[in-house]
Amino acid sequence: MNRLKRPNSRRRALFSLSVTLVAGVPLLAACGSAPHPGAAAGVGGQRIPVSALQGQVDEVRTAQQASPQAAELISNSAQLSQAKLNGMIFDRILDRAAHDAGVSASRHEVQTARRQAAASGGGERQFEATLLQQGALTPGQIDDAVRRDVLMSKLAKAVGGDTTTPAGQQKVLAALARTSKDMRVDVNPRYGSWDNAKVALASTKTDWIKQVSGQEQQREPSDV
């Protein structure tokens, strides 16, 4: 995925870490208990409705279909439902971990970071096109990704982690993993299961984010 604020190597490492955590890793899926009907997941006792998840997926598909590279973009994001749900769950965990660490991201900070990222990424239109292609993010979803980056940076400092090193990254991951366990994430089995240690859906793969050419597609789960 495109790194926010490219000239800054530390921010590149932070964004790379946040993307890795949000995208998930290809692990063996375990059995999970089903959340309430109509929910894609439950996090900290709060439901993530299937309708909210589908809204994000539909928004991306609409943007992809309007692109000259529509077929390629769609084929390279076959696990879009899982990836979006993964991000929705992760953001709730990150919010709690950041709150517990006493840090937050203001709207001004998010907007400033986005302007800087766009400026270093060829301008706003090019920045948006790149994130749609490489991260399946629509213009309306970019602020959430930038906010995630800002919060990750602040959380890393709060827990004494240096995201440019494996050891530092493990400190950040450990803080998020503790929060994930405390929040008791419960995922609808059709989307996979949640791995607290990895802070990611166990069934989510990262291949679709990095693909440039169309490869084997995987069928998305049907909605409930």
Side-chain angles (χ1 to χ4, degrees):
M1 182 183 290
N2 185 55
R3 273 74 165 173
L4 297 178
K5 204 173 180 180
R6 291 179 181 174
N8 188 312
S9 61
R10 181 175 179 80
R11 180 167 290 278
R12 285 202 303 269
L14 283 166
F15 193 61
S16 177
L17 175 61
S18 67
V19 167
T20 299
L21 291 170
V22 172
V25 290
L27 302 172
L28 294 176
C31 295
S33 58
H36 297 294
V43 186
Q46 300 296 315
R47 298 166 72 254
I48 296 179
V50 170
S51 58
L53 169 61
Q54 193 59 47
Q56 287 207 11
V57 172
D58 290 346
E59 185 179 338
V60 172
R61 290 301 186 215
T62 297
Q64 289 175 333
Q65 290 167 358
S67 169
Q69 295 82 36
E72 181 182 24
L73 293 178
I74 293 171
S75 69
N76 291 345
S77 56
Q79 282 194 313
L80 184 57
S81 292
Q82 291 95 329
K84 287 300 180 184
L85 179 59
N86 197 84
M88 294 170 82
I89 295 172
F90 181 85
D91 283 346
R92 285 159 174 76
I93 293 170
L94 176 59
D95 281 348
R96 174 72 64 82
H99 179 269
D100 291 346
V103 296
S104 61
S106 69
R107 179 173 178 77
H108 174 72
E109 289 173 318
V110 171
Q111 292 302 312
T112 298
R114 177 168 178 166
R115 284 195 298 270
Q116 292 173 339
S120 64
E124 184 69 22
R125 293 186 65 178
Q126 181 58 47
F127 180 60
E128 292 176 355
T130 298
L131 289 187
L132 176 62
Q133 179 181 18
Q134 299 183 5
L137 291 170
T138 67
Q141 296 171 353
I142 293 176
D143 277 0
D144 286 340
V146 177
R147 180 176 180 276
R148 183 183 303 137
D149 188 39
V150 172
L151 274 183
M152 285 289 290
S153 176
K154 291 189 172 185
L155 177 63
K157 292 178 181 179
V159 301
D162 178 0
T163 57
T164 63
T165 67
Q169 292 171 3
Q170 285 303 312
K171 286 186 178 181
V172 180
L173 179 58
L176 291 167
R178 287 192 298 270
T179 302
S180 177
K181 184 176 181 180
D182 290 343
M183 294 185 76
R184 299 180 180 275
V185 179
D186 190 11
V187 177
N188 188 316
R190 73 177 57 214
Y191 298 105
S193 60
W194 188 256
D195 189 311
N196 288 317
K198 298 294 184 180
V199 199
L201 278 173
S203 61
T204 304
K205 296 182 180 180
T206 58
D207 292 349
W208 68 267
I209 293 179
K210 299 177 181 179
Q211 288 174 337
V212 176
S213 59
Q215 298 181 20
E216 181 180 359
Q217 297 185 44
Q218 299 185 29
R219 185 177 181 180
E220 293 181 19
S222 58
D223 296 332
V224 292

